[in-house]
Amino acid sequence: MTYSEDIESLARRRAKAKLGWWSHATVYVAVNTVLIGISLASGRHWAVFPLLGWGLGLLLHGVSVWLFAPGNLVLERMVDRERARLSASGSDPW
């Protein structure tokens, strides 16, 4: 595989991951809007539980896509720091 093919493959993977997160977020908003409506109509406020539980899942999905995806700046900086530490020590600490 050439360098440009690697870039293309990584770009496609990252774009698909981001599109997956946007789909997840859209379904989250649509479903929870309906649940909140039902909850308010029934006079009880139970919809907060699926809202928070699913919201946590959406948050973790977002962190994996936007912060720690392959090729991401945050991940690349962490890898560079570890590479520098390992190069400086001259030995494998593991």
Side-chain angles (χ1 to χ4, degrees), residues 15 17 35 49 57 71 81:
L35 292 178
F49 300 109
R81 258 188 261 140

Side-chain angles (χ1 to χ4, degrees), residues 25-40 47 51 54:
T26 301
V27 171
Y28 171 82
V29 169
V31 170
N32 280 294
T33 299
V34 171
L35 292 178
I36 289 169
I38 293 169
S39 175
L40 292 174
L51 188 76
W54 193 353

Side-chain angles (χ1 to χ4, degrees), residues 7-45:
I7 295 293
E8 179 69 20
S9 175
L10 181 59
R12 285 187 178 282
R13 254 179 68 205
R14 290 184 62 189
K16 285 179 184 179
K18 289 177 182 180
L19 185 61
W21 185 86
W22 281 109
S23 297
H24 187 179
T26 301
V27 171
Y28 171 82
V29 169
V31 170
N32 280 294
T33 299
V34 171
L35 292 178
I36 289 169
I38 293 169
S39 175
L40 292 174
S42 70
R44 305 167 108 197
H45 301 292

Side-chain angles (χ1 to χ4, degrees), residues 22-90:
W22 281 109
S23 297
H24 187 179
T26 301
V27 171
Y28 171 82
V29 169
V31 170
N32 280 294
T33 299
V34 171
L35 292 178
I36 289 169
I38 293 169
S39 175
L40 292 174
S42 70
R44 305 167 108 197
H45 301 292
W46 53 264
V48 70
F49 300 109
L51 188 76
L52 293 174
W54 193 353
L56 178 61
L58 182 62
L59 174 70
L60 295 175
H61 184 183
V63 166
S64 72
V65 168
W66 299 99
L67 294 180
F68 297 117
N72 194 305
L73 292 178
V74 173
L75 180 63
E76 292 304 316
R77 277 188 252 141
M78 291 173 76
V79 169
D80 288 343
R81 258 188 261 140
E82 289 301 319
R83 190 178 296 118
R85 280 189 199 132
L86 290 171
S87 296
S89 71

